[in-house]
């Protein structure tokens, strides 16, 4: 088969599953064990994945959702940071899943009770009932309707978990970008997980976010560090990197020359999103018919890097004000790879007080450009951002 744009297997995108999900077998195994144990009536902690943007956290959470849906579980996938309340997000996604579940199990009395609790919970987010359209039950008065999210979410999860146990399935609630939730909402999620664990219900509350998510959870609820199993997701190993590039091409009869593979792997540094960006651009540059050469890789990586600078990095840079760019530039000057930078060093480089720079730091965190891994430290949310900013500083 010729190397052409139509057959290009590589797929860069936000949360888009790559053609070969290489190097994540241990995480996938943990997902299966989690679901198996809960179905067997065993207790198990939910899974929290952390890492920089673009390492594949959302893809893995989607994989977990797919596994649970295949087993007939009640599944909700909510993405924080969209500007909507968590109650509304949870109501919308749970309603969609429970519609399908109710059609399969019309005679379950505990499921009907759970549906009533969901209706009550949803009416607090959408009083006109528009969110729960299709849930043909009356709201369960006095259940999940207090207006206090922590209490209501726990009551709803308990009722859903009880219904799932009767149906020999489970409940999976996934919160992506969890660090974007207000502290009170994070506390509500942790409290619901705690109640489900205490009652040994088949409920898994899991999530994904930036590396500061564990600290945000512990700040919201001191016992959160014991509620979840935390796993840091990073760059792929050299073997997994090679698999991510080779297997999609080989499935179409196309081979990578060793030097082409090595150049691409070095440029991507095991970063899953970059592998897809580079792979796609190299494929488009390669004339084929059945081989990707070193020259193809060199040209494709250069073009892809320009594309990343214009879009991936450039769009983030453009979102910052002039004052915030000064902060980012000072931060980049002292950064080494993706390592955190002490805020006092940034202040010293800019010749300003830590207090005067605090508003810029807070706004950059809110815009998702940096995060605070620890008190007194900041880091970029995407790999290579510091290098990009340093390149800008070198331009005439």
């Amino acid at each position: 088969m010729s190397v052409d744009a139509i057959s290009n297997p590589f797929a860069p995108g936000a949360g888009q599953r790559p053609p070969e999900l290489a190097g994540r077998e241990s995480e996938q195994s943990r997902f299966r064990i989690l679901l198996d144990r809960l179905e067997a009536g065993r207790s198990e902690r939910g899974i929290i994945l952390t890492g920089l943007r673009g390492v594949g956290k959302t893809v893995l959470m989607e994989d977990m959702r797919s596994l649970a849906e295949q087993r007939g579980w009640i599944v909700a996938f909510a993405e924080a940071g969209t500007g909507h309340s968590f109650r509304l997000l949870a109501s919308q996604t749970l309603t969609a899943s429970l519609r399908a579940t109710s059609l399969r199990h019309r005679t379950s009395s505990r499921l009907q009770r759970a549906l009533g609790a969901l209706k009550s919970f949803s009416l607090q987010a959408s009083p006109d009932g528009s969110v729960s359209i299709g849930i043909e039950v009356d709201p369960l008065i006095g259940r999940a309707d207090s207006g206090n999210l922590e209490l209501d979410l726990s009551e709803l999860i308990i009722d859903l978990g009880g219904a799932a146990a009767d149906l020999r399935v489970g409940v999976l609630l996934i919160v992506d970008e969890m660090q974007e939730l207000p502290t009170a909402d994070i506390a509500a999620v942790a409290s619901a997980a705690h109640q489900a664990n205490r009652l040994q219900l088949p409920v898994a509350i899991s999530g994904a976010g930036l590396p500061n998510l564990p600290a945000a959870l512990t700040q919201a609820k001191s016992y959160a560090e014991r509620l979840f199993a935390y796993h840091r997701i990073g760059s792929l190993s050299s073997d997994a990197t090679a698999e991510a590039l080779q297997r999609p091409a080989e499935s179409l009869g196309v081979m990578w020359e060793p030097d082409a593979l090595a150049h691409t792997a070095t440029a991507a540094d095991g970063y899953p999103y970059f592998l897809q960006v580079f792979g796609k651009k190299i494929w488009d540059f390669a004339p084929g018919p059945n081989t990707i050469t070193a020259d193809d890789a060199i040209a494709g990586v250069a073009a892809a890097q320009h594309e990343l600078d214009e879009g991936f990095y450039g769009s983030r840079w453009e979102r910052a004000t002039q004052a915030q760019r000064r902060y980012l530039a000072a931060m980049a000057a002292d950064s080494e790879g993706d390592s955190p930078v002490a805020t006092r060093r940034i202040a010293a480089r800019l010749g300003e007080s830590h207090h005067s720079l605090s508003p810029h730091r807070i706004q950059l965190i809110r815009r998702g450009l940096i995060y605070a891994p620890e008190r007194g430290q900041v880091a970029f949310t995407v790999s290579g951002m510091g290098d990009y900013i340093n390149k800008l500083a070198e331009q005439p």
Side-chain angles (χ1 to χ4, degrees), residues 82-90 125 181 185:
T82 60
H84 299 294
S85 71
F86 181 72
R87 185 188 289 267
L88 178 62
L89 295 172
L181 291 178
D185 291 3

Side-chain angles (χ1 to χ4, degrees), residues 164-214:
D166 275 5
L167 301 175
R168 299 180 180 275
V169 294
V171 177
L172 174 62
L173 172 60
I174 295 174
V175 185
D176 199 13
E177 301 290 352
M178 190 186 284
Q179 80 284 340
E180 297 286 347
L181 291 178
T183 299
D185 291 3
I186 294 178
V189 172
S191 181
H194 177 60
Q195 294 302 322
N197 289 349
R198 183 179 64 81
L199 297 172
Q200 293 189 304
L201 295 171
V203 174
I205 296 181
S206 297
L210 292 172
N212 62 332
L213 175 55

Side-chain angles (χ1 to χ4, degrees), residues 100-178:
T101 303
S102 63
L103 291 175
R104 294 194 301 269
H105 304 281
R106 295 178 183 274
T107 60
S108 170
S109 58
R110 292 194 75 174
L111 179 59
Q112 292 301 306
R113 175 182 172 83
L115 289 169
L118 174 61
K119 192 107 175 190
S120 296
F121 182 85
S122 300
L123 286 172
Q124 292 295 316
S126 175
D128 62 2
S130 59
V131 171
S132 56
I133 290 175
I135 302 295
E136 303 302 331
V137 295
D138 293 327
L140 191 61
I141 305 300
R143 192 68 174 170
D145 61 358
S146 71
N148 181 312
L149 179 64
E150 185 166 336
L151 173 62
D152 294 349
L153 184 62
S154 290
E155 290 183 346
L156 175 60
I157 289 297
I158 289 170
D159 288 353
L160 289 173
D166 275 5
L167 301 175
R168 299 180 180 275
V169 294
V171 177
L172 174 62
L173 172 60
I174 295 174
V175 185
D176 199 13
E177 301 290 352
M178 190 186 284

